[in-house]
């Protein structure tokens, strides 16, 4: 009964983390699209927007850790920080930069279709980092997902090659970051809660984004006086971004990157429906056919991963049972030998 209650509690918590992440991710995506799109708020500066987010996250995380002492900082050597946190910060900054840039050129619905490639990228990079095993049937499934996304791209009414390239780069950097987070949290024995994760990683993102910002966006902002800081828009947007960052680290840290991918499929369908019905983006039948094929491939991949996890858990329990039986047998043999020794005496 205790095991069953523990499993139920774990499932409820996992669904709670998923629901929070879907809601916040949905909100940030639509909000960022609103700010960056030239036909809406018309502020097409993705690096600047990302830096505002990271500056806000860094400041708030610093206050929570150093001033209000809500959580304790993690003891971390300079070498470990440079080898673990800095690469994740660099990948995170690139992922956010390119992902936000794509909203200027592509519709919300098409971006979500391209994000269906995330399991392909996560699996491929997981194999590269030896966090996953190469299997021919899994790779065939990855190819079916890629084919579905290609069909969806073929049917896109407002296809933009530059926007597609930016989004694909964002997917590649995000997948690498997710795998490295698993390595950072698990393999190296470091425990980071959501606040300390932002405390260490957000400043790295801010530093990495500063150089491209100075080169690419600062001159335009300076010359056109486009940086009118709307505290309501950028403030609430930054709060949503901060909450999403906490939710991402919480979801991956408490569950896995696989769970995040499964939740991402649900979120993508919701965003496609919202983009078509509310934002009035064009969604063609070929779009839906292609994404439907990719969706089936993602669903099969996630099902296979779940079955593999269940099989591994069953094998672990069977091994524990065998070890327990062996231990009891040894104890009984020892007791029998002791009684025989007493009889001989």
């Amino acid at each position: 009964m205790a095991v069953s209650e523990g499993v139920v509690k774990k499932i409820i918590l996992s669904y709670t983390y998923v629901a929070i992440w879907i809601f916040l991710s949905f909100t940030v995506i639509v909000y960022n699209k609103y700010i960056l799109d030239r036909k809406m708020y018309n502020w097409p500066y993705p690096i600047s927007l990302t830096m505002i987010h990271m500056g806000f996250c860094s400041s708030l995380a610093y206050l929570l850790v150093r001033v209000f002492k809500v959580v304790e900082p993690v003891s971390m050597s300079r070498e470990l920080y440079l080898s673990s946190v800095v690469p994740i910060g660099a990948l995170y900054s690139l992922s956010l930069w390119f992902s936000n840039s794509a909203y200027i050129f592509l519709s919300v619905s098409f971006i979500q279709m391209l994000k269906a490639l995330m399991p392909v990228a996560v699996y491929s990079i997981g194999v590269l980092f030896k966090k996953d095993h190469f299997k021919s049937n899994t790779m065939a499934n990855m190819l079916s997902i890629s084919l579905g996304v290609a069909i969806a791209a073929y049917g896109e009414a407002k296809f933009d090659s530059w926007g597609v390239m930016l989004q694909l780069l964002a997917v590649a950097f995000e997948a690498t970051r997710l795998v490295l987070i698993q390595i950072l949290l698990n393999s190296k024995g470091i425990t980071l809660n959501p606040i300390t994760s932002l405390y260490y990683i957000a400043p790295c993102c801010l530093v990495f984004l500063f150089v491209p910002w100075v080169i690419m966006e600062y001159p335009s902002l300076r010359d056109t006086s486009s940086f009118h800081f709307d505290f309501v828009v950028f403030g609430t947007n930054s709060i949503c971004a901060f909450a999403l960052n906490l939710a991402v680290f919480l979801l991956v840290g408490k569950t896995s990157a696989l769970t995040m991918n499964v939740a991402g499929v649900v979120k993508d369908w919701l965003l496609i429906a919202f983009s078509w019905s509310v934002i009035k983006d064009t969604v063609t039948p070929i779009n839906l056919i292609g994404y439907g094929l990719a969706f089936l491939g993602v669903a099969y991949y996630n099902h296979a991963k779940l079955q593999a996890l269940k099989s591994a858990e069953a094998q672990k329990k069977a091994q524990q049972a065998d070890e327990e039986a062996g231990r009891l047998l040894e104890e009984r043999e020892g007791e029998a030998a002791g009684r025989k020794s007493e009889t001989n005496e």
Side-chain angles (χ1 to χ4, degrees), residues 298-318:
V298 172
Y300 176 78
Y301 171 71
N302 291 329
H303 173 73
K305 293 289 287 185
L306 180 61
Q307 293 302 315
L309 290 174
K310 288 182 178 179
S311 177
E313 184 68 21
Q315 290 179 1
K316 183 178 179 181
K317 289 181 178 180

Side-chain angles (χ1 to χ4, degrees), residues 104-120:
I104 300 174
F105 306 97
L106 303 175
S107 66
V108 171
S109 58
F110 186 45
I111 286 176
Q112 304 320 305
M113 294 177 189
L114 292 175
K115 286 182 179 179
L117 288 171
M118 184 63 73
V120 179

